[in-house]
Amino acid sequence: QEGFGSDFSSGASSGKMDPGTIMEQVKVQIAVANAQELLQRMTDKCFKKCIGKPGSTLDNSEQKCIAMCMDRYMDAWNTVSRAYNSRLQRERARI
């Protein structure tokens, strides 16, 4: 994020960055933030669900639980994301 701020300000002050470039950078930053939030939520939920007593290693059942939990979480997120995007496209088509 620090790099983004400095890139943005240096580009804006020199007048070399057009609004389209700035918008693309903003979109990338939003996508990165969303991915980080998704990973954090998935980690929190699956850790709470699968890890009874935290230790230095995961046993086989914990490893399987984590893998399955993360797969299910990603599948659910993808399903919701597709439905949301589909709805957005329908709404935009109406305008």
Side-chain angles (χ1 to χ4, degrees):
Q1 289 177 341
E2 191 175 322
F4 172 73
S6 61
D7 289 349
F8 180 82
S9 60
S10 67
S13 64
S14 67
K16 290 181 182 173
M17 289 184 66
D18 65 288
T21 302
I22 294 169
M23 283 303 294
E24 285 307 309
Q25 285 189 345
V26 170
K27 287 178 185 178
V28 167
Q29 289 299 314
I30 290 170
V32 167
N34 286 338
Q36 288 172 332
E37 183 178 352
L38 170 67
L39 187 59
Q40 185 62 50
R41 285 185 182 186
M42 182 172 56
T43 301
D44 290 345
K45 288 190 181 292
C46 293
F47 183 88
K48 287 175 185 168
K49 177 180 173 31
C50 298
I51 311 301
K53 288 191 275 182
S56 59
T57 60
L58 298 175
D59 64 30
N60 277 346
S61 65
E62 289 171 331
Q63 288 179 21
K64 287 178 185 174
C65 180
I66 290 280
M68 289 177 64
C69 178
M70 293 178 90
D71 284 347
R72 282 194 304 266
Y73 197 94
M74 288 301 295
D75 286 345
W77 188 86
N78 285 330
T79 299
V80 170
S81 184
R82 279 193 299 271
Y84 177 74
N85 287 331
S86 174
R87 183 172 178 177
L88 272 181
Q89 287 176 348
R90 285 196 308 270
E91 294 294 324
R92 286 182 183 144
R94 276 198 232 162
I95 296 174

